[in-house]
Coordinates of all heavy atoms in Angstrom, one line a residue:
M649 N 117.3 169.5 127.5 CA 116.3 170.1 126.7 C 116.4 169.7 125.2 O 117.5 169.8 124.7 CB 116.4 171.6 126.8 CG 115.4 172.4 125.9 SD 115.7 174.1 126.0 CE 114.7 174.7 124.7
K650 N 115.3 169.1 124.7 CA 115.3 168.7 123.3 C 114.2 169.4 122.6 O 113.1 169.6 123.1 CB 115.1 167.2 123.2 CG 116.3 166.4 123.6 CD 116.1 165.0 123.1 CE 115.5 164.1 124.1 NZ 115.5 162.7 123.7
R651 N 114.5 169.8 121.4 CA 113.5 170.4 120.5 C 113.6 169.7 119.2 O 114.7 169.6 118.6 CB 113.8 171.9 120.3 CG 112.6 172.6 119.6 CD 112.9 174.1 119.6 NE 114.0 174.4 118.7 CZ 114.8 175.5 118.8 NH1 114.5 176.3 119.8 NH2 115.7 175.7 118.0
I652 N 112.5 169.2 118.7 CA 112.5 168.4 117.5 C 111.5 169.0 116.5 O 110.4 169.3 116.9 CB 112.1 166.9 117.8 CG1 113.0 166.3 118.8 CG2 112.0 166.1 116.5 CD1 112.6 164.9 119.3
T653 N 112.0 169.1 115.3 CA 111.1 169.5 114.2 C 111.3 168.5 113.1 O 112.4 168.1 112.7 CB 111.5 170.9 113.7 OG1 111.6 171.8 114.8 CG2 110.6 171.4 112.6
K654 N 110.2 168.0 112.6 CA 110.2 167.0 111.5 C 109.5 167.6 110.3 O 108.6 168.3 110.4 CB 109.6 165.7 111.9 CG 110.4 165.0 112.9 CD 109.8 163.6 113.1 CE 110.7 162.8 114.1 NZ 110.2 161.5 114.3
N655 N 110.0 167.1 109.1 CA 109.4 167.5 107.9 C 109.7 166.4 106.9 O 110.8 165.7 107.0 CB 110.0 168.8 107.4 CG 109.1 169.4 106.3 OD1 108.3 168.8 105.7 ND2 109.2 170.7 106.2
H656 N 108.8 166.1 106.0 CA 109.0 165.1 105.0 C 109.4 165.7 103.6 O 108.7 166.6 103.2 CB 107.8 164.3 104.8 CG 107.4 163.5 106.1 ND1 108.0 162.3 106.4 CD2 106.6 163.8 107.1 CE1 107.5 161.9 107.6 NE2 106.7 162.8 108.0
S657 N 110.4 165.3 103.0 CA 110.9 165.8 101.7 C 111.4 164.6 100.9 O 112.4 164.0 101.3 CB 112.0 166.8 101.9 OG 112.4 167.2 100.7
E658 N 110.7 164.2 99.9 CA 111.0 163.1 99.0 C 111.2 161.8 99.9 O 112.2 161.1 99.8 CB 112.3 163.4 98.2 CG 112.1 164.6 97.3 CD 113.4 164.9 96.5 OE1 114.3 164.0 96.4 OE2 113.5 166.0 96.0
N659 N 110.3 161.6 100.8 CA 110.3 160.4 101.7 C 111.3 160.5 102.8 O 111.4 159.5 103.6 CB 110.4 159.1 100.9 CG 109.2 159.0 99.9 OD1 108.1 159.3 100.3 ND2 109.5 158.5 98.7
W660 N 112.1 161.5 102.9 CA 113.1 161.6 104.0 C 112.4 162.3 105.1 O 111.6 163.3 105.0 CB 114.3 162.5 103.6 CG 115.3 161.9 102.7 CD1 115.3 162.0 101.3 CD2 116.4 161.0 103.0 NE1 116.4 161.3 100.8 CE2 117.0 160.7 101.8 CE3 116.8 160.5 104.2 CZ2 118.2 159.9 101.9 CZ3 117.9 159.7 104.2 CH2 118.6 159.4 103.1
E661 N 112.7 161.9 106.3 CA 112.3 162.6 107.6 C 113.5 163.3 108.0 O 114.6 162.8 108.2 CB 111.9 161.6 108.7 CG 110.6 160.9 108.4 CD 110.2 159.9 109.5 OE1 111.0 159.8 110.5 OE2 109.2 159.3 109.4
V662 N 113.4 164.6 108.2 CA 114.5 165.5 108.6 C 114.2 166.1 110.0 O 113.1 166.6 110.2 CB 114.8 166.6 107.6 CG1 116.0 167.4 108.0 CG2 115.0 166.0 106.2
S663 N 115.1 166.0 110.9 CA 114.9 166.5 112.3 C 116.1 167.3 112.7 O 117.2 167.0 112.3 CB 114.5 165.4 113.2 OG 115.6 164.5 113.4
I664 N 115.8 168.2 113.6 CA 116.9 169.0 114.3 C 116.6 169.0 115.8 O 115.5 169.2 116.2 CB 117.0 170.4 113.7 CG1 118.2 171.1 114.3 CG2 115.8 171.2 113.9 CD1 118.6 172.4 113.7
I665 N 117.6 168.6 116.6 CA 117.4 168.5 118.0 C 118.5 169.4 118.7 O 119.7 169.3 118.3 CB 117.6 167.1 118.5 CG1 116.5 166.2 117.8 CG2 117.4 167.0 120.0 CD1 116.8 164.7 118.0
E666 N 118.1 170.1 119.7 CA 119.0 170.9 120.5 C 119.3 170.1 121.8 O 118.4 169.7 122.5 CB 118.3 172.3 120.8 CG 119.2 173.2 121.7 CD 118.4 174.4 122.0 OE1 118.5 175.4 121.2 OE2 117.7 174.4 123.1
L667 N 120.6 169.9 122.0 CA 121.0 169.1 123.2 C 121.8 170.0 124.1 O 122.7 170.7 123.7 CB 121.9 167.9 122.7 CG 121.3 167.0 121.7 CD1 122.3 166.1 121.1 CD2 120.2 166.2 122.4
R668 N 121.5 169.9 125.4 CA 122.3 170.7 126.4 C 123.2 169.6 127.1 O 122.7 168.7 127.7 CB 121.4 171.3 127.4 CG 122.1 172.3 128.3 CD 121.1 173.0 129.2 NE 120.1 173.8 128.4 CZ 120.3 175.0 128.0 NH1 121.4 175.7 128.3 NH2 119.3 175.6 127.3
E669 N 124.5 169.9 127.0 CA 125.5 168.9 127.6 C 126.5 169.7 128.4 O 127.3 170.4 127.8 CB 126.1 168.1 126.4 CG 127.0 167.0 126.8 CD 127.4 166.2 125.6 OE1 126.6 165.5 125.0 OE2 128.6 166.3 125.3
N670 N 126.5 169.5 129.6 CA 127.5 170.1 130.5 C 127.5 171.6 130.3 O 128.6 172.2 130.3 CB 128.9 169.5 130.3 CG 129.0 168.1 130.7 OD1 128.3 167.6 131.6 ND2 129.8 167.3 130.1
G671 N 126.4 172.2 130.2 CA 126.3 173.7 130.1 C 126.5 174.2 128.7 O 126.4 175.4 128.4
S672 N 126.8 173.4 127.7 CA 127.0 173.8 126.3 C 125.8 173.3 125.5 O 125.2 172.3 125.8 CB 128.3 173.4 125.8 OG 128.4 172.0 125.7
L673 N 125.6 173.9 124.4 CA 124.5 173.5 123.5 C 125.1 172.8 122.2 O 126.2 173.3 121.7 CB 123.7 174.7 123.0 CG 122.7 175.3 124.0 CD1 122.1 176.5 123.5 CD2 121.7 174.3 124.5
K674 N 124.5 171.8 121.8 CA 124.9 171.1 120.6 C 123.7 170.9 119.8 O 122.6 170.8 120.3 CB 125.7 169.8 120.9 CG 127.0 170.0 121.6 CD 127.8 168.7 121.6 CE 129.0 169.1 122.4 NZ 130.1 168.3 122.0
Y675 N 123.8 170.7 118.5 CA 122.7 170.6 117.6 C 122.9 169.3 116.8 O 123.9 169.1 116.1 CB 122.5 171.8 116.7 CG 122.3 173.0 117.5 CD1 123.4 173.8 117.9 CD2 121.1 173.4 118.0 CE1 123.3 174.9 118.7 CE2 120.9 174.5 118.8 CZ 122.0 175.3 119.1 OH 121.8 176.4 119.9
K676 N 121.9 168.4 116.8 CA 121.9 167.2 116.0 C 120.9 167.3 114.9 O 119.7 167.4 115.1 CB 121.6 166.0 117.0 CG 121.6 164.7 116.4 CD 121.3 163.7 117.5 CE 120.9 162.3 116.9 NZ 120.5 161.4 117.9
V677 N 121.4 167.1 113.7 CA 120.6 167.1 112.5 C 120.6 165.8 111.9 O 121.7 165.2 111.6 CB 121.0 168.2 111.5 CG1 120.1 168.3 110.3 CG2 121.2 169.6 112.1
T678 N 119.4 165.2 111.7 CA 119.3 163.8 111.2 C 118.3 163.8 110.0 O 117.3 164.4 110.1 CB 118.8 162.9 112.3 OG1 119.8 162.9 113.4 CG2 118.8 161.4 111.8
R679 N 118.7 163.0 109.0 CA 117.7 162.6 108.0 C 117.6 161.1 108.0 O 118.6 160.4 108.1 CB 118.0 163.2 106.6 CG 119.3 162.7 106.0 CD 119.4 163.3 104.6 NE 120.7 162.9 104.0 CZ 121.0 163.2 102.7 NH1 120.2 163.9 102.0 NH2 122.1 162.8 102.2
H680 N 116.4 160.7 107.9 CA 116.1 159.2 108.0 C 115.1 158.8 106.8 O 114.2 159.5 106.5 CB 115.4 159.0 109.3 CG 115.0 157.6 109.6 ND1 113.7 157.2 109.7 CD2 115.7 156.5 109.7 CE1 113.6 155.9 109.9 NE2 114.9 155.4 109.9
L681 N 115.5 157.7 106.2 CA 114.7 157.2 105.1 C 114.0 155.9 105.6 O 114.7 154.8 105.6 CB 115.5 156.9 103.9 CG 114.8 156.6 102.6 CD1 113.8 157.6 102.2 CD2 115.8 156.4 101.5
P682 N 112.8 156.0 106.2 CA 112.2 154.8 106.9 C 112.0 153.6 105.9 O 112.1 152.5 106.4 CB 110.9 155.3 107.4 CG 110.9 156.8 107.3 CD 112.0 157.1 106.3
K683 N 111.8 153.9 104.7 CA 111.5 152.8 103.7 C 112.7 151.8 103.6 O 112.5 150.6 103.5 CB 111.2 153.4 102.4 CG 110.9 152.5 101.3 CD 110.5 153.2 100.0 CE 110.2 152.3 98.9 NZ 109.8 153.0 97.6
F684 N 113.9 152.3 103.8 CA 115.1 151.5 103.7 C 115.9 151.4 105.0 O 117.0 150.9 105.1 CB 116.0 152.0 102.6 CG 115.4 152.0 101.3 CD1 115.0 153.1 100.6 CD2 115.2 150.8 100.6 CE1 114.4 153.1 99.4 CE2 114.6 150.7 99.4 CZ 114.2 151.9 98.7
S685 N 115.3 152.0 106.1 CA 116.0 152.0 107.4 C 117.4 152.5 107.3 O 118.4 152.0 107.8 CB 116.1 150.5 108.0 OG 114.8 150.1 108.2
V686 N 117.5 153.7 106.7 CA 118.8 154.4 106.5 C 118.7 155.7 107.1 O 117.7 156.4 107.1 CB 119.1 154.5 105.0 CG1 120.3 155.4 104.8 CG2 119.2 153.2 104.3
A687 N 119.8 156.1 107.8 CA 119.8 157.5 108.5 C 121.2 158.1 108.4 O 122.2 157.3 108.3 CB 119.4 157.4 109.9
E688 N 121.3 159.4 108.4 CA 122.5 160.1 108.4 C 122.4 161.2 109.4 O 121.4 161.9 109.5 CB 122.8 160.7 107.0 CG 124.1 161.5 107.0 CD 124.4 162.1 105.6 OE1 123.6 161.9 104.7 OE2 125.5 162.7 105.5
T689 N 123.4 161.4 110.3 CA 123.3 162.3 111.4 C 124.6 163.2 111.4 O 125.7 162.7 111.2 CB 123.2 161.6 112.7 OG1 122.0 160.9 112.8 CG2 123.2 162.6 113.9
K690 N 124.4 164.5 111.6 CA 125.5 165.4 111.7 C 125.4 166.2 113.0 O 124.2 166.6 113.4 CB 125.6 166.3 110.6 CG 126.0 165.6 109.3 CD 126.3 166.6 108.2 CE 126.7 165.9 106.9 NZ 127.1 166.8 105.8
M691 N 126.4 166.4 113.8 CA 126.4 167.2 115.0 C 127.1 168.5 114.8 O 128.1 168.6 114.0 CB 127.2 166.4 116.1 CG 126.6 165.1 116.5 SD 125.0 165.3 117.3 CE 125.5 166.0 118.9
F692 N 126.5 169.6 115.4 CA 127.1 170.9 115.2 C 127.2 171.6 116.6 O 126.3 171.4 117.4 CB 126.2 171.8 114.3 CG 126.0 171.2 112.9 CD1 125.1 170.3 112.6 CD2 126.9 171.6 111.9 CE1 124.9 169.8 111.3 CE2 126.8 171.2 110.6 CZ 125.8 170.2 110.3
N693 N 128.2 172.5 116.7 CA 128.3 173.4 117.9 C 127.6 174.7 117.6 O 127.3 175.5 118.5 CB 129.7 173.6 118.3 CG 130.4 172.3 118.8 OD1 129.8 171.5 119.4 ND2 131.6 172.1 118.4
N694 N 127.4 175.0 116.3 CA 126.9 176.3 115.9 C 125.4 176.1 115.4 O 125.2 175.3 114.5 CB 127.8 176.8 114.8 CG 127.4 178.1 114.2 OD1 126.3 178.3 113.7 ND2 128.2 179.1 114.4
K695 N 124.5 176.9 116.0 CA 123.1 176.8 115.6 C 122.8 177.2 114.1 O 122.0 176.5 113.5 CB 122.3 177.7 116.5 CG 120.8 177.6 116.3 CD 120.1 178.5 117.3 CE 118.6 178.3 117.3 NZ 117.9 179.1 118.3
E696 N 123.5 178.2 113.6 CA 123.3 178.6 112.3 C 123.8 177.5 111.3 O 123.1 177.3 110.3 CB 124.1 179.9 112.0 CG 123.5 181.1 112.8 CD 122.0 181.3 112.7 OE1 121.5 181.2 111.6 OE2 121.4 181.5 113.7
K697 N 124.9 176.9 111.5 CA 125.3 175.8 110.7 C 124.4 174.6 110.7 O 124.1 174.0 109.7 CB 126.7 175.3 111.1 CG 127.8 176.3 110.7 CD 129.2 175.8 111.1 CE 130.2 176.8 110.8 NZ 131.6 176.4 111.2
A698 N 123.8 174.3 111.9 CA 122.8 173.2 112.0 C 121.6 173.6 111.2 O 121.0 172.7 110.5 CB 122.5 173.0 113.4
K699 N 121.1 174.8 111.3 CA 119.9 175.3 110.5 C 120.2 175.2 109.0 O 119.3 174.8 108.3 CB 119.5 176.7 110.9 CG 118.8 176.8 112.2 CD 118.4 178.3 112.4 CE 117.6 178.5 113.6 NZ 117.2 179.9 113.8
K700 N 121.4 175.6 108.6 CA 121.7 175.5 107.2 C 121.7 174.1 106.7 O 121.1 173.8 105.6 CB 123.1 176.1 107.0 CG 123.5 176.2 105.6 CD 124.9 176.8 105.4 CE 125.4 176.8 104.0 NZ 126.7 177.3 103.8
Q701 N 122.2 173.1 107.5 CA 122.2 171.7 107.1 C 120.7 171.2 107.0 O 120.4 170.5 106.1 CB 123.0 170.9 108.0 CG 123.1 169.4 107.7 CD 123.8 169.2 106.4 OE1 125.0 169.5 106.3 NE2 123.1 168.7 105.4
F702 N 119.9 171.6 108.0 CA 118.5 171.2 108.0 C 117.8 171.7 106.8 O 117.1 170.9 106.1 CB 117.9 171.8 109.3 CG 116.4 171.5 109.5 CD1 116.0 170.2 109.9 CD2 115.5 172.4 109.2 CE1 114.7 169.9 110.1 CE2 114.1 172.1 109.4 CZ 113.7 170.9 109.8
E703 N 118.0 172.9 106.5 CA 117.3 173.5 105.3 C 117.8 172.8 104.0 O 117.1 172.6 103.0 CB 117.6 175.0 105.2 CG 116.9 175.8 106.3 CD 115.4 175.7 106.3 OE1 114.8 175.6 105.2 OE2 114.8 175.6 107.3
E704 N 119.1 172.5 103.9 CA 119.7 171.9 102.7 C 119.1 170.5 102.5 O 118.7 170.1 101.4 CB 121.2 171.8 102.9 CG 121.9 171.2 101.7 CD 123.4 171.1 102.0 OE1 124.0 172.1 102.4 OE2 124.0 170.0 101.8
W705 N 118.9 169.8 103.6 CA 118.3 168.4 103.5 C 116.8 168.5 103.2 O 116.3 167.5 102.7 CB 118.6 167.6 104.8 CG 120.0 167.0 104.8 CD1 120.9 167.0 103.8 CD2 120.6 166.4 105.9 NE1 122.0 166.3 104.1 CE2 121.9 166.0 105.4 CE3 120.2 166.1 107.2 CZ2 122.8 165.3 106.3 CZ3 121.1 165.5 108.0 CH2 122.4 165.1 107.5
L706 N 116.2 169.6 103.5 CA 114.8 169.7 103.1 C 114.5 169.9 101.6 O 113.5 169.6 101.1 CB 114.1 170.8 103.9 CG 113.9 170.6 105.4 CD1 113.2 171.8 106.0 CD2 113.0 169.4 105.6
Q707 N 115.5 170.4 100.9 CA 115.4 170.7 99.5 C 115.7 169.5 98.6 O 116.2 168.5 98.9 CB 116.3 171.8 99.1 CG 115.9 173.1 99.8 CD 116.8 174.2 99.4 OE1 117.6 174.1 98.5 NE2 116.6 175.3 100.1

């Protein structure tokens, strides 16, 4: 199961994806700068920490 939310902030695309892997949930937070083909991704086991990172990258 994947859930993707995208938002643009200062030309960054920010997404959060929920991944189900062997019965456990992981959260992948990525920010991508298409203009320069640059991306940064962080993986989390904790939903709240993933949301916090997502919100931080939106600002």
Side-chain angles (χ1 to χ4, degrees):
M649 172 183 170
K650 290 197 262 185
R651 190 174 67 205
I652 302 172
T653 305
K654 289 188 177 182
N655 200 338
H656 296 277
S657 175
E658 298 180 21
N659 298 318
W660 285 98
E661 290 179 0
V662 182
S663 64
I664 185 168
I665 302 171
E666 180 182 271
L667 304 167
R668 188 173 304 268
E669 188 175 289
N670 296 327
S672 66
L673 289 175
K674 295 190 181 210
Y675 302 90
K676 178 179 165 184
V677 182
T678 302
R679 68 178 174 173
H680 179 246
L681 188 58
K683 184 176 179 179
F684 296 109
S685 298
V686 175
E688 180 178 3
T689 300
K690 292 187 178 185
M691 297 291 292
F692 298 90
N693 294 322
N694 182 295
K695 185 176 185 176
E696 296 307 315
K697 288 182 182 180
K699 282 183 176 180
K700 182 178 178 184
Q701 182 65 64
F702 180 79
E703 293 298 326
E704 183 179 309
W705 278 351
L706 287 178
Q707 295 181 10

